[in-house]
């Protein structure tokens, strides 16, 4: 007779966790071994008894899903039409993330994806002669867009998805957030010292997470981009074929998210180094920037002046609807920032994006008034 | 074709912002996560709250598409429950809804069920954390490979550890049953 089986192997047999071959061998042994048969029967009785003691009335799954949906909607304070806030022409890459952008608890991934989405749009870099079209944001220019122009663009019914040949794809690195115990632990992983905000009150919980570097690629459909310009009435610019000749590559640097909760407030701060974006060779950025400013409704002369002034290699152009009260430009420690404040069902939600040198910050929170919130952003040094 | 789509494919869609993919994952795995959490907390509301937090984490920070979803969800659930229980303990007197017991039972049977639940909870609470977790994950329907992935165990050791955990649980349960009501305080809970 073969050797007797231990309890673990017998239990694995009961649980259907053995290969057909192993199960067959076990059954042959059991047929010949009353001792193992008895142990197996005892294990089965024990398993059945435990299962009965641990049984649970099944949950109402549709109800639970509805409750979660409600919560997600509740915590997504800006209504959908706020999508017009983004460049309509890069709708596809933004709509991936737009449902997540203004949630008070914007995930790190969403925050970074927004930045990528914005950077993916042409007006991001210049210096045509560089062999390598690499840029990294160090400045932000907020370009107000009139409501009227937003409406016009919306009415073009342009399918933003067609601007890219395929959805952005991740080609390297990891994009999973790793929880860490403290900011100092985060610091050793990301290679910079994350700033610690001064909280508006004692915090009862603090959670930290780090995201590793990751690389994304997406390729522009030039024909579609030209179509957009035609529809938007911008006829004084020709987009070069080079724009779609090779993928745009965005390399995300590590980022740190910290979430604090205290009496009556919750805040989350995401901070990281701006992604490094590589564009196809032979793309004249100033011209693309000019085109983008024109799409946003700027007059030709003004657009030409601004396009010439901006250092596209390091500047992110961030359009925003000029006449939406929930949005306003602020200064955070001398750097320009964009503050989104929303009052939803009596609760105040805010989100603030700003950039200092190569570092970007996104602070989101609830339960704080705008002044306290801005003071907290100021404390991030 | 949605029902044949793998978790990994759904995760990829979720990464692209596809809300329908999230709902599919929710419907697929909610009951499992709930069972683990109910086992840990012994309370329906607490389990529902922690399950909601768990799926919110999936929605906002999904794992990489190549990562098995169920073990990942269970790991998040165990962490979430740890935090929930911390605050729940302050509110130890919260009474479980009687509605939890099947409606056809007569009142004395319902009371018995509730008492049994408390004894189960008390017995689980005396087990080493890892043993309680193995028990709950396996009895929530996870395969050995999934239990191993969720708890960082060698897959080959799960059967043996499971038997050991069930024996320890049976002994603890018997002890609590004979010890009477002192150990049946509803506030006593399992450490996830």
């Amino acid at each position: 007779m073969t050797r007797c089986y231990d309890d673990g192997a017998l239990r694995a047999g009961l649980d259907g966790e053995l290969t057909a071959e192993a199960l067959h061998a076990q059954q042959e042994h059991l047929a010949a071994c009353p001792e193992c048969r008895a142990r197996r029967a005892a294990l089965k009785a024990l398993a059945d008894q435990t299962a009965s003691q641990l049984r649970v009335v099944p949950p109402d799954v549709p109800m639970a899903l509805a409750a979660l949906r409600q919560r997600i909607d509740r915590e997504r304070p800006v209504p959908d039409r706020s999508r017009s806030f983004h460049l309509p022409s890069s709708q596809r890459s933004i709509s991936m993330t737009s449902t997540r952008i203004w949630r008070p608890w914007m995930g790190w991934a969403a925050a970074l994806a927004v930045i990528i989405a914005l950077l993916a749009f042409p007006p991001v870099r210049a210096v045509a002669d560089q062999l390598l079209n690499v840029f990294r944001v160090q400045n932000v220019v907020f370009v107000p867009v009139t409501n009227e122009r937003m409406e016009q663009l919306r009415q073009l019914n342009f399918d933003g998805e067609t601007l890219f040949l395929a959805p952005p794809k991740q080609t390297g690195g990891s994009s999973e957030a790793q929880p860490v115990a403290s900011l100092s632990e985060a610091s050793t992983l990301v290679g910079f010292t994350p700033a610690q905000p001064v909280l508006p009150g004692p915090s009862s919980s603090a959670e930290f997470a780090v995201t590793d570097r990751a690389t994304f690629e997406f390729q522009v459909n030039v024909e579609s981009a030209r179509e957009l310009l035609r529809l938007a009435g911008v006829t004084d610019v020709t987009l070069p074929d080079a724009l779609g000749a090779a993928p745009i590559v965005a390399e995300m640097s590590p980022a740190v998210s910290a979430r604090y909760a205290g009496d009556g407030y919750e805040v989350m701060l995401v901070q990281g180094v701006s992604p490094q974006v590589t564009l196809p060779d032979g793309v004249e950025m100033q011209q693309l920037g000019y085109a983008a400013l024109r799409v946003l409704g700027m007059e030709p002369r003004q657009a030409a002046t601004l396009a010439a002034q901006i250092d596209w290699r390091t500047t992110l152009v961030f359009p925003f609807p000029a006449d939406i009260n929930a949005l306003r430009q602020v200064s955070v420690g001398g750097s320009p920032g964009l503050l989104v404040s929303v009052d939803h069902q009596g609760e105040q939600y805010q989100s603030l994006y700003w950039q200092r040198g190569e570092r970007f910050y996104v602070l989101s929170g609830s339960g704080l008034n705008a002044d306290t919130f801005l003071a907290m952003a100021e404390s991030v040094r | 074709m949605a029902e044949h789509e793998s978790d990994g494919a759904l995760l990829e869609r979720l990464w692209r912002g596809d809300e329908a993919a999230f709902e599919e994952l929710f419907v697929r795995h909610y009951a499992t996560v709930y069972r683990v959490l109910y086992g840990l907390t012994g309370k329906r509301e607490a389990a529902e709250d922690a399950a909601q937090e768990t799926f919110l984490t999936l929605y906002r920070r999904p794992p990489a598409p190549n990562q098995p979803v169920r073990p990942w969800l269970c790991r998040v659930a165990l962490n979430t429950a740890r935090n929930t229980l911390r605050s729940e303990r302050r509110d130890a007197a919260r009474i479980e809804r009687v509605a939890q017991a099947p409606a056809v039972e007569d009142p004395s049977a319902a009371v018995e069920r509730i008492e049994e639940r408390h004894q189960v909870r008390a017995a689980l609470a005396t087990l080493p954390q890892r043993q309680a977790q193995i028990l709950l994950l396996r009895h929530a329907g996870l395969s050995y490979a999934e239990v191993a992935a969720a708890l960082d165990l060698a897959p080959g050791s799960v059967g043996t550890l499971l038997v050991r955990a069930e024996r320890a649980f049976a002994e603890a349960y018997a002890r609590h049953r004979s010890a009477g009501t002192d150990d049946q305080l509803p506030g006593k809970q399992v450490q996830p």
Side-chain angles (χ1 to χ4, degrees):
Chain A
M1 193 171 67
T2 49
R3 272 182 69 156
C4 286
Y5 283 86
D6 67 18
D7 290 345
L10 290 173
R11 181 59 202 260
L14 283 168
D15 282 339
E17 291 278 351
L18 295 179
T19 61
E21 201 182 341
L23 183 65
H24 181 72
Q26 192 178 91
Q27 280 166 344
E28 272 191 351
H29 174 84
L30 284 168
C33 179
E35 201 183 302
C36 279
R37 271 207 305 278
R39 273 198 300 124
R40 183 179 184 274
L43 288 173
K44 172 136 182 31
L46 179 65
D48 289 346
Q49 181 194 313
T50 314
S52 138
Q53 284 164 331
L54 293 178
R55 76 177 179 275
V56 169
V57 178
D60 185 338
V61 179
M63 189 102 97
L65 180 57
L68 178 57
R69 275 260 148 264
Q70 220 172 10
R71 178 165 169 201
I72 287 171
D73 289 342
R74 198 171 56 233
E75 295 183 4
R76 181 191 293 158
V78 173
D80 272 355
R81 64 174 178 278
S82 71
R83 285 171 191 203
S84 59
F85 159 76
H86 304 291
L87 281 174
S89 49
S90 54
Q91 236 166 28
R92 171 55 200 151
S93 74
I94 282 174
S95 71
M96 294 196 322
T97 54
S98 65
T99 53
R100 299 177 171 211
I101 296 171
W102 302 119
R103 262 187 238 142
W105 302 127
M106 175 164 37
W108 58 272
L112 297 187
V114 171
I115 310 294
I116 284 196
L118 290 164
L119 300 189
F121 194 73
V124 279
R125 207 214 68 90
V127 191
D129 300 334
Q130 291 283 328
L131 279 177
L132 203 60
N133 283 336
V134 175
F135 89 95
R136 176 165 268 162
V137 171
Q138 295 188 21
N139 307 293
V140 187
V141 173
F142 293 103
V143 178
V145 184
T146 65
N147 204 30
E148 199 187 357
R149 182 59 175 173
M150 282 292 182
E151 198 47 48
Q152 285 170 2
L153 292 173
R154 207 165 14 238
Q155 282 173 5
L156 296 180
N157 284 326
F158 180 80
D159 182 5
E161 197 162 345
T162 62
L163 267 184
F164 298 96
L165 293 174
K169 82 169 187 261
Q170 188 176 347
T171 56
S174 151
S175 46
E176 210 198 336
Q178 298 295 331
V180 291
S182 64
L183 279 185
S184 58
E185 193 187 330
S187 165
T188 59
L189 292 171
V190 296
F192 65 85
T193 309
Q196 163 111 51
V198 177
L199 300 173
S203 67
S204 55
S205 77
E207 291 168 29
F208 308 98
V210 163
T211 54
D212 205 348
R213 58 188 73 250
T215 306
F216 293 85
E217 283 188 7
F218 30 91
Q219 197 157 356
V220 173
N221 181 343
V222 181
E223 273 314 311
S224 181
R226 286 173 182 153
E227 171 71 3
L228 172 67
L229 290 184
R230 264 196 299 279
L231 287 171
V234 180
T235 52
D236 50 352
V237 168
T238 313
L239 294 178
D241 288 328
L243 179 61
I248 295 171
V249 180
E251 288 177 71
M252 314 298 294
S253 302
V256 178
S257 71
R259 180 174 166 173
Y260 308 91
D263 195 10
Y265 75 88
E266 284 188 275
V267 287
M268 183 174 190
L269 176 66
V270 178
Q271 49 190 316
V273 177
S274 287
Q276 184 168 294
V277 176
T278 308
L279 293 164
D281 283 349
V283 175
E284 164 60 61
M285 284 310 302
Q286 192 171 319
Q287 192 185 33
L288 289 182
Y290 172 79
L293 295 172
R294 292 280 289 120
V295 168
L296 294 171
M298 216 172 262
E299 292 304 319
R301 227 174 54 193
Q302 198 188 355
T305 309
L306 186 57
Q309 279 171 357
I310 288 176
D311 176 5
W312 294 97
R313 189 186 175 76
T314 57
T315 305
L316 171 66
V317 170
F318 203 141
F320 74 103
D323 32 21
I324 289 186
N325 291 334
L327 296 169
R328 69 182 159 109
Q329 280 193 74
V330 294
S331 166
V332 182
S335 308
L338 191 71
L339 175 67
V340 187
S341 302
V342 180
D343 198 357
H344 186 71
Q345 295 180 350
E347 179 88 87
Q348 187 89 44
Y349 293 94
Q350 346 245 4
S351 236
L352 173 60
Y353 166 82
W354 77 102
Q355 179 96 27
R356 189 177 294 138
E358 290 192 340
R359 299 266 284 278
F360 72 86
Y361 303 85
V362 183
L363 181 67
S364 305
S366 66
L368 300 171
N369 65 38
D371 288 345
T372 316
F373 188 72
L374 277 173
M376 194 179 152
E378 286 278 357
S379 78
V380 176
R381 296 286 159 113
Chain B
M1 288 306 284
E3 62 264 44
H4 302 301
E5 209 168 351
S6 70
D7 282 353
L10 288 170
L11 271 183
E12 253 171 55
R13 281 171 53 199
L14 176 59
W15 268 100
R16 295 200 298 268
D18 185 335
E19 308 252 329
F22 172 75
E23 294 195 356
E24 176 65 27
L25 286 167
F26 186 100
V27 168
R28 236 178 238 194
H29 300 302
Y30 183 84
T32 303
V33 168
Y34 173 86
R35 282 185 72 150
V36 172
L37 288 165
Y38 186 86
L40 285 169
T41 60
K43 293 177 179 176
R44 192 174 70 180
E45 279 172 62
E48 283 170 355
D49 290 351
Q52 189 179 80
E53 289 299 329
T54 302
F55 279 92
L56 209 53
T57 304
L58 174 68
Y59 184 74
R60 291 174 180 169
R61 300 193 296 265
N66 57 2
Q67 206 167 332
V69 177
R70 259 201 326 184
W72 183 88
L73 280 170
C74 288
R75 239 187 1 249
V76 174
L78 294 172
N79 286 334
T80 308
R82 185 176 298 138
N83 298 332
T84 310
L85 286 179
R86 235 177 256 149
S87 51
E88 279 286 307
R89 253 178 243 119
R90 292 184 221 122
D91 192 17
R94 255 168 82 176
I95 295 160
E96 172 71 335
R97 289 182 194 168
V98 178
Q100 185 72 30
V104 289
E105 277 184 337
D106 68 58
S108 66
V111 168
E112 215 168 272
R113 279 283 300 147
I114 290 170
E115 278 182 6
E116 190 195 335
R117 260 207 314 277
H118 290 156
Q119 281 158 352
V120 165
R121 231 45 58 196
L124 277 172
T126 62
L127 298 190
Q129 173 178 310
R130 193 35 62 98
Q131 278 194 345
Q133 290 175 343
I134 290 173
L135 218 50
L136 291 170
L137 261 48
R138 173 61 195 160
H139 283 280
L142 269 70
S143 70
Y144 284 16
E146 287 176 320
V147 171
L151 302 179
D152 284 330
L153 300 169
S157 69
V158 173
T160 305
L161 295 173
L162 179 61
V163 171
R164 216 173 280 163
E166 284 180 346
R167 289 210 175 105
F169 173 69
E171 282 166 24
Y173 183 79
R175 265 202 312 280
H176 281 282
R177 209 158 171 80
S178 58
T181 53
D182 281 359
D183 285 326
Q184 298 176 19
L185 295 175
K188 194 158 184 207
Q189 286 165 337
V190 185
Q191 289 286 340

